[in-house]
Structures are given as C-alpha cells and as structure tokens.
Amino acid sequence: MLEKLTQLVAKSILSNELKLQKKVGYRLVFKNLPDDWIDGYALVDMTLTWHSYGLPIKGLNYFTVGSLKNGLSSRFLTNDDLYQAWLGGYIFQSKKPLYWHSDDYLKLAEADQEGWLRHYGNTTPDMDFGNLTKIDDMVLSGKKAQLFEWVGITQSDVGNANHSLILKVMSDGMAYMMNTLTPGLKLKGKNFIPKTTQTTYQELAISGYMILVNINSRTKAVLYVCMVGDNKPDHAVMKQLITKHIQLMPV
C-alpha cells in the first residue's frame, strides 16, 4: 500500500518537474555512460532547497550514481571507486540577470549536498567545498562554457539513521522516477539505502570538476562530477565524464 502511494506521489512530482523543465527550455542528456554508472538519471526540482539556502532561483538537478553491486549502488560501498561519487548537472533560471562570481556556483552543490545528507539522517551536515579554480574555456553543446576544478570536504551519507521511513519513501520515489525516465532500469528503492556499518557520516576529502554554461543572462547550466579523495580519484576519468557524457539540449 505504501509503495503504491509513493509511486502516485512520485508520478505527480515528476509531472511537475517535467513542466518546469519545459519552462526553463533546456534539459541534460546522459550519453553512453560507462558500465560502472547507472545508465539513467534522477530528476529533482531544487527550487525550495536553493531558496532555503538563500539562492533566489528555480531549476532542476539531473544526476546519477554508481551502478548496482549485489543489489546496492556502489555509491554506498566504502571500498568502491565510486563510493560517494556524483555525476550530473543543474539547469536553473533567475527572474533577473545573474552576475555571480564563479565560487557562487558551488553554493548550488552545497545546498544540494546538505539536503541529501539530511534525508539520509544526518541532522548536522557539515561540508566545505572550497573554491573553484578555472582550467579552461570551452564550448558545450554550442554554448560558451568554462571548466573548473575544486577540492573540499564533505560527509558520507552512510550512517546510523539510514533506515528511516522518510528515506525509504524518498528512495522508492527516486527509483520510480529513474525507471520512468529511462525504461528498462528496473531499480528499487532498496538499491539506494546503505547497509549499517561501523562508521557513521564520516568526514571525507572530495574533489571534482564543474562546467559553467552561460545559456543566457538568466538561464545557466552547471555540470558536475566528483569523487572522494580516499579512493584516489582519476582526474582524467572525471574530466572525460563531464565533458563527453553529458549534453545540454533544448526541450
């Protein structure tokens, strides 16, 4: 009964997210992802999360995580290379032209990460994503863009409060949306609920890349990829993921 209710709610939420996507006028598409990533994506309306973080914008988050190993995403497997890794991007709009400093774009990810950690039971999430360092100018899907790298700290979402009803409902809803957006995935909510471990919400070094895309004065896209430092992330691999496997397209 709960699962069916969750699916009905998720269906309604997804419908609203697709309407917002149409209003924004652009979407992100994941292409030919390597086998160690789930070959699909989740779609999340970030507007309320960003507003609560003091960012007066509306928009969406497109993301995926590590593929399943023994029924659990490798995002939650402490010894896996994709433990706590993210791949995705944001598309957002403001009512007025945006003139942000490059580091302001990191606030998008900080707000996102804080909300995610709270969903996973961390009541006092702590992170510092540092600063963006420009690497290069580039063109992404015909739009002028800039590639940046960054290094920071965060906390794991694997902790002692990972089995709440809220997390179960959220995970079931996320699985439903991903299956709907990419038919054939056959994901389940339990694929995104970590098993209990001795460590809980441990602090982690994290590093990654961002591509800032100037669609127009009010509409921006930010692509991101990050991996935790303890697993010695391959920066060449991360660069390829963010530059070759995500495309910006008009709706």
Side-chain angles (χ1 to χ4, degrees), residues 79-99:
N79 294 322
D80 196 274
D81 288 343
L82 294 187
Y83 176 57
Q84 300 301 293
W86 290 114
L87 176 64
Y90 311 112
I91 299 179
F92 61 95
Q93 284 186 332
S94 64
K95 291 182 178 180
K96 299 179 181 179
L98 281 178
Y99 300 104

Side-chain angles (χ1 to χ4, degrees), residues 122-231:
N122 185 342
T123 57
T124 56
D126 186 28
M127 71 209 69
D128 182 354
F129 283 0
N131 305 101
L132 290 178
T133 300
K134 185 177 177 181
I135 301 299
D136 202 3
D137 291 310
M138 59 180 294
V139 175
L140 182 81
S141 303
K143 302 291 184 181
K144 291 183 179 180
Q146 297 174 312
L147 176 65
F148 294 82
E149 65 179 356
W150 60 276
V151 177
I153 58 170
T154 187
Q155 288 174 297
S156 167
D157 52 21
V158 178
N160 55 14
N162 281 156
H163 298 282
S164 68
L165 179 60
I166 291 176
L167 180 58
K168 182 183 185 315
V169 170
M170 186 193 81
S171 298
D172 286 344
M174 186 169 78
Y176 171 83
M177 290 183 183
M178 294 181 77
N179 292 336
T180 302
L181 291 165
T182 309
L185 286 181
K186 298 180 180 180
L187 296 169
K188 299 180 179 179
K190 64 182 181 181
N191 301 145
F192 304 105
I193 300 179
K195 295 178 173 59
T196 302
T197 65
Q198 292 181 342
T199 58
T200 182
Y201 308 124
Q202 66 184 126
E203 183 177 288
L204 300 167
I206 192 168
S207 60
Y209 291 88
M210 279 188 168
I211 297 177
L212 310 186
V213 188
N214 182 36
I215 299 174
N216 57 53
S217 63
R218 298 190 305 108
T219 308
K220 315 292 180 181
V222 177
L223 280 57
Y224 59 79
V225 61
C226 58
M227 299 180 185
V228 298
D230 292 347
N231 291 329

